[in-house]
């Protein structure tokens, strides 16, 4: 324990917190400005989600948001473990430190568990999935059953170059040849065409492009697929675009599978049905004054009618559904409502942290008041 | 010896939580059952549009722009974006190359503006035939009677490779009528 103490004590230095916080402020400023030039998602990833940044491709690495936050957590932890005095007169300060720790833990949970996406539902229809804004997945759909489809999905995190992946429910094995975060479709030069290339890969290839600042990226992947029927093993290409569609491949089990690259789908623990969408316009204009969606939420045997509108999201099971957009273009009059879906297990922690910090600061002031009064009397 | 205090436990949790969470996020594989969907919802080559998009960094095709029109370079799935000035503002026509049969594409566009699909044998008679530098092509103007503000003017030029070159612009019907002659002239000018 003594060695732990000597190990942690240098980490508990207030100077670490001071300089790390200053660096964090600098990252916030640079990251905010960079959004204008490189787009929101690319800037978030570079300055806040990454561990290290390489400024202007120079051969130096600097700490990015995630590393700085980890340093602050380590620093605060070390301070609480070895350098805090657990006396009544320090209770307020210690409570405040715990509050900041809870805030940081909330940040960690949010960073690793938050999922954001959207869901578009037509009036009268229901949905139990939402799709990611950025992440894609490779889906393999087995439609052989007359009652249902079996879906096997591989998230984008599987797509590192040369990585292989598979699942016992399907006969295929995938090996990533190339994965592009943004790409352009191009004609494959005749000199590169080989019998190993299958279907569209025979004619087409992808050219890597820098990520789009408005996040309009065409994500693509070139995969080596084995486990297909005779003559169908080879290199296939997939692009995340609605008009690109999917690819049909026969497996070694002689079943037909549909494969596609699409925005990642997440299952909701409940089903949401759009009963009615209502849009109120400013008088004499087509400008929306307010819009709202009447929905029925079904989970197991229970069912609940509710309304989602501006500043009144639906919160259920860690999921928050915000009214975000709508589509009234269908001439039949059937409207579509679009909800933004956020899943964040740590959503309550910032509120808890603020209450603890407020309590800690008030306690500290209360404990100091008698001493200050006594000092003033002298 | 120092006792493990509650804050120390919280800190330990925070330090341990970081790496374990990171592992969980990596490469998720899911297998689940969903209600039957039609292949059209996850299009397959046999049922949906088959893009073959020969998109090269130098344009695969040449054209002559009507006066006032301009072209933007290839991006994404587009061979080019044609900027067309009009009284109601700037319109954009997309120039693309995809696969798919004539009737399938025309009916897909009809569906996009809310029109019912036509029987396959009635599609060709509904189109205006034009001679282009790439061979015979077809032009269609699709207007929904209840939604004239979302009309479509489109041209299809089938290619010997089995793909088709498409020029498509969506705008109010009145704007499309105003640019129809120039659109035909542009379509006819397309060549290798």
């Amino acid at each position: 324990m003594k060695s732990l103490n000597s190990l942690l004590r240098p980490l508990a230095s207030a100077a670490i917190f001071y300089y790390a916080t200053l660096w964090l402020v600098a990252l916030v400023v640079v990251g905010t400005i960079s959004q204008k030039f490189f787009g929101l998602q690319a800037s978030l990833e570079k300055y806040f989600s990454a561990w290290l940044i390489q400024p202007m491709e120079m051969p130096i690495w600097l700490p990015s948001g995630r590393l700085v936050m980890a340093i602050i957590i380590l620093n605060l932890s070390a301070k609480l473990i070895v350098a805090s005095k657990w006396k009544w007169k320090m209770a307020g300060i210690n409570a405040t430190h715990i509050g900041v720790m809870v805030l940081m833990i909330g940040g960690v949970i949010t960073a690793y568990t938050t999922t954001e996406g959207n869901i578009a539902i037509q009036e009268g229809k229901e949905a139990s999935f939402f799709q990611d804004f950025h992440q894609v997945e490779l889906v393999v759909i087995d439609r052989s059953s007359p009652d249902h489809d079996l879906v096997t999905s591989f998230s984008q995190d599987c797509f590192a170059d040369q990585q292989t992946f598979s699942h016992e429910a399907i006969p295929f094995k995938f090996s990533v040849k190339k994965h592009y975060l943004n790409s352009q479709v191009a004609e494959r030069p005749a000199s590169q065409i080989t019998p190993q290339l299958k279907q569209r890969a025979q004619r087409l290839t992808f050219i890597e492009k820098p990520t789009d600042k408005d996040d309009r990226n065409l994500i693509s992947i070139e995969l080596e697929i084995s486990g297909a029927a005779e003559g169908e093993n080879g290199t296939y290409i997939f692009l995340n675009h609605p008009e690109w569609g999917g690819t049909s491949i026969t497996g070694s089990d002689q079943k037909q599978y549909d494969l596609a690259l699409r925005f990642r789908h997440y299952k909701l623990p409940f089903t949401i049905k759009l009963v009615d969408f209502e849009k109120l316009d400013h008088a004499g204009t087509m400008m929306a004054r307010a819009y709202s969606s009447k929905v029925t939420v079904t989970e197991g045997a229970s069912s609940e009618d509710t309304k989602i509108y501006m500043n009144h999201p639906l919160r259920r099971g860690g999921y928050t559904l915000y009214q975000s957009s709508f589509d009234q273009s269908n001439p039949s009059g059937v409207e579509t409502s679009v909800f933004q879906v956020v899943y964040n297990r740590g959503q309550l922690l910032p509120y808890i942290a603020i209450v603890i910090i407020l309590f800690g600061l008030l306690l500290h002031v209360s404990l100091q008041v008698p001493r200050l009064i006594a000092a003033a009397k002298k | 010896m120092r006792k493990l205090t509650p804050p120390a436990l919280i800190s330990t949790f925070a330090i341990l939580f970081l790496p374990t969470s990171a592992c969980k996020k990596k490469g998720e594989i899911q297998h689940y059952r969903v209600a039957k969907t039609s292949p059209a919802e996850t299009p397959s080559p046999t049922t949906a549009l088959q893009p073959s998009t020969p998109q090269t960094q130098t344009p695969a095709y040449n054209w002559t722009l009507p006066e006032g029109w301009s072209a933007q370079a290839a991006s994404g799935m587009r061979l080019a974006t044609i900027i067309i000035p009009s009284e109601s503002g700037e319109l954009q026509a997309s120039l693309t190359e995809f696969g798919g049969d004539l009737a399938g594409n025309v009916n897909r566009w009809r569906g996009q503006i809310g029109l019912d699909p036509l029987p396959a044998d009635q599609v060709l008679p509904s189109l205006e035939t034009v001679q282009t530098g790439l061979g015979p092509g077809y032009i269609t103007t699709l207007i929904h009677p209840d939604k004239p503000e979302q009309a479509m003017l489109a041209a299809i030029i089938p290619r010997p490779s089995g793909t088709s070159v498409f020029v498509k612009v969506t705008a109010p019907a009145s704007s499309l009528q105003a640019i129809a002659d120039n659109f035909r002239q542009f379509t006819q000018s397309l060549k290798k």
Side-chain angles (χ1 to χ4, degrees):
Chain A
M1 205 67 192
K2 204 169 183 180
S3 60
L4 179 70
N5 200 338
S6 58
L7 181 76
L8 290 181
R9 191 157 286 279
L11 287 176
S13 163
I16 293 178
F17 183 84
Y18 175 76
Y19 288 111
T21 310
L22 266 185
W23 184 245
L24 205 55
V25 170
L27 283 176
V28 169
V29 172
V30 176
T32 307
I33 294 169
S34 112
Q35 285 174 29
K36 179 173 164 49
F37 303 100
F38 302 104
L40 176 66
Q41 190 62 17
S43 300
L44 278 176
E45 278 171 15
K46 183 172 180 182
Y47 293 98
F48 305 113
S49 301
W51 291 92
L52 294 165
I53 41 173
Q54 196 180 6
M56 302 172 81
E57 309 299 321
M58 287 188 291
I60 51 165
W61 295 91
L62 297 172
S64 186
R66 190 153 294 189
L67 181 56
V68 180
M69 296 282 276
I71 290 170
I72 293 175
I73 288 180
L74 276 173
N75 173 248
L76 284 174
S77 307
K79 164 95 175 89
L80 283 166
I81 295 168
V82 298
S84 292
K85 290 175 181 152
W86 295 96
K87 292 177 179 169
W88 174 239
K89 68 173 183 180
M90 296 300 290
I93 292 292
N94 290 337
T96 306
H97 276 151
I98 291 170
V100 176
M101 282 291 304
V102 173
L103 196 63
M104 291 293 180
I105 292 167
V108 172
I109 293 173
T110 299
Y112 284 106
T113 68
T114 295
T115 310
E116 276 187 273
N118 68 2
I119 184 171
I121 314 174
Q122 253 191 8
E123 282 174 333
K125 297 264 174 74
E126 57 182 36
S128 58
F129 282 89
F130 69 99
Q131 69 174 30
D132 202 290
F133 287 131
H134 310 288
Q135 265 241 338
V136 298
E137 63 183 7
L138 178 78
V139 280
V140 183
I141 305 177
D142 172 3
R143 301 187 197 277
S144 58
S145 164
D147 317 314
H148 59 263
D149 292 339
L150 288 171
V151 179
T152 308
S153 68
F154 302 90
S155 76
Q156 196 174 349
D157 305 303
C158 296
F159 298 167
D161 286 356
Q162 311 311 322
Q163 191 165 330
T164 57
F165 52 90
S166 60
H167 188 271
E168 60 197 15
I170 53 171
F172 306 114
K173 261 194 179 165
F174 304 95
S175 173
V176 180
K177 292 188 83 174
K178 271 283 174 203
H179 169 225
Y180 301 112
L181 293 175
N182 192 18
S183 54
Q184 183 176 322
V185 186
E187 223 165 356
R188 191 180 285 277
S191 59
Q192 288 180 9
I193 297 171
T194 67
Q196 181 67 8
L197 299 166
K198 303 295 177 193
Q199 298 189 12
R200 290 167 190 156
Q202 273 277 339
R203 289 172 292 138
L204 303 171
T205 185
F206 299 122
I207 296 171
E208 186 163 24
K209 288 185 74 186
T211 50
D212 182 73
K213 73 182 177 73
D214 295 322
D215 296 328
R216 286 179 304 201
N217 296 306
L218 281 177
I219 301 173
S220 60
I221 190 167
E222 189 172 322
L223 287 173
E224 190 71 41
I225 300 181
S226 57
E230 202 182 333
E232 294 201 28
N233 288 321
T235 302
Y236 291 79
I237 55 173
F238 299 88
L239 180 76
N240 176 40
H241 189 283
E243 291 194 315
W244 179 269
T247 296
S248 231
I249 305 178
T250 310
S252 56
D253 56 2
Q254 301 309 313
K255 271 196 212 168
Q256 191 86 357
Y257 294 87
D258 285 341
L259 285 78
L261 196 65
R262 68 180 188 190
F263 280 115
R264 194 170 171 189
H265 283 37
Y266 299 97
K267 180 137 182 58
L268 290 166
F270 49 84
T271 301
I272 178 163
K273 180 180 180 179
L274 180 64
V275 178
D276 185 35
F277 174 79
E278 189 179 44
K279 176 180 167 237
L280 298 173
D281 294 332
H282 286 285
T285 74
M286 292 285 281
M287 277 169 59
R289 177 162 60 87
Y291 46 98
S292 61
S293 301
K294 275 185 196 162
V295 296
T296 303
V297 184
T298 309
E299 190 170 2
S302 72
S303 186
E304 180 198 347
D305 291 334
T306 186
K307 203 170 182 181
I308 303 174
Y309 51 94
M310 190 73 82
N311 297 328
H312 190 270
L314 166 72
R315 292 181 200 275
R316 200 178 180 103
Y319 293 84
T320 310
L321 275 73
Y322 301 90
Q323 177 74 64
S324 73
S325 188
F326 60 89
D327 179 17
Q328 292 182 309
S329 63
N330 193 324
S332 64
V334 178
E335 295 164 313
T336 298
S337 189
V338 183
F339 305 101
Q340 184 181 354
V341 186
V342 180
Y343 176 63
N344 179 6
R345 282 187 205 158
Q347 64 179 349
L348 279 180
L349 287 178
Y351 302 105
I352 296 170
I354 284 165
V355 170
I356 298 172
I357 292 168
L358 186 67
F359 167 77
L361 292 174
L362 285 174
L363 182 63
H364 184 65
V365 170
S366 313
L367 291 174
Q368 296 303 313
V369 166
R371 196 179 64 80
L372 292 172
I373 292 171
K377 279 181 183 169
K378 281 182 190 174
Chain B
M1 198 168 82
R2 227 184 151 87
K3 278 201 292 187
L4 261 183
T5 54
L9 282 173
I10 294 174
S11 317
T12 312
F13 165 74
I15 293 163
L16 290 177
F17 189 83
L18 225 112
T20 53
S21 304
C23 295
K24 276 183 197 167
K25 185 88 178 176
K26 281 285 162 202
E28 281 179 56
I29 301 172
Q30 290 182 317
H31 181 69
Y32 51 89
R33 177 186 291 206
V34 293
K36 198 87 193 133
T37 55
S38 68
E41 287 173 52
T42 312
S44 68
T46 50
T47 55
L49 197 65
Q50 285 185 63
S52 56
T53 331
Q55 220 164 32
T56 51
Q57 292 197 307
T58 52
Y61 298 107
N62 292 303
W63 54 77
T64 308
L65 290 169
E67 198 182 331
W69 290 29
S70 57
Q72 286 179 353
S75 70
M77 307 278 284
R78 293 182 177 194
L79 297 166
T81 299
I82 310 297
I83 308 297
I84 307 167
S86 91
E87 283 178 7
S88 59
E90 199 175 74
L91 307 180
Q92 286 195 1
S94 61
L95 182 70
T96 53
E97 184 170 346
F98 293 117
D101 64 289
L102 190 68
N105 281 309
V106 170
N107 279 331
R108 186 169 57 83
W109 291 338
R110 292 180 66 86
Q112 283 172 5
I113 62 162
L115 291 170
D116 291 332
L118 288 175
D121 60 345
Q122 288 179 26
V123 170
L124 200 54
S126 75
L127 307 173
E128 175 194 346
T129 307
V130 287
Q131 192 57 43
T132 78
L134 297 170
Y138 307 95
I139 292 179
T140 181
T141 307
L142 303 172
I143 304 169
H144 192 287
D146 299 333
K147 290 266 177 179
E149 69 275 14
Q150 285 179 4
M152 187 186 291
L153 180 58
I156 306 178
I157 309 165
R159 305 287 301 129
S161 59
T163 62
S164 297
V165 172
F166 299 100
V167 189
K168 194 173 86 169
V169 54
T170 307
S174 56
S175 302
L176 294 184
Q177 276 155 11
I179 64 160
D181 288 343
N182 280 342
F183 184 86
R184 186 180 301 103
Q185 183 191 325
F186 172 76
T187 305
Q188 288 171 327
S189 77
L190 278 163
K191 61 183 179 188
K192 248 309 198 195

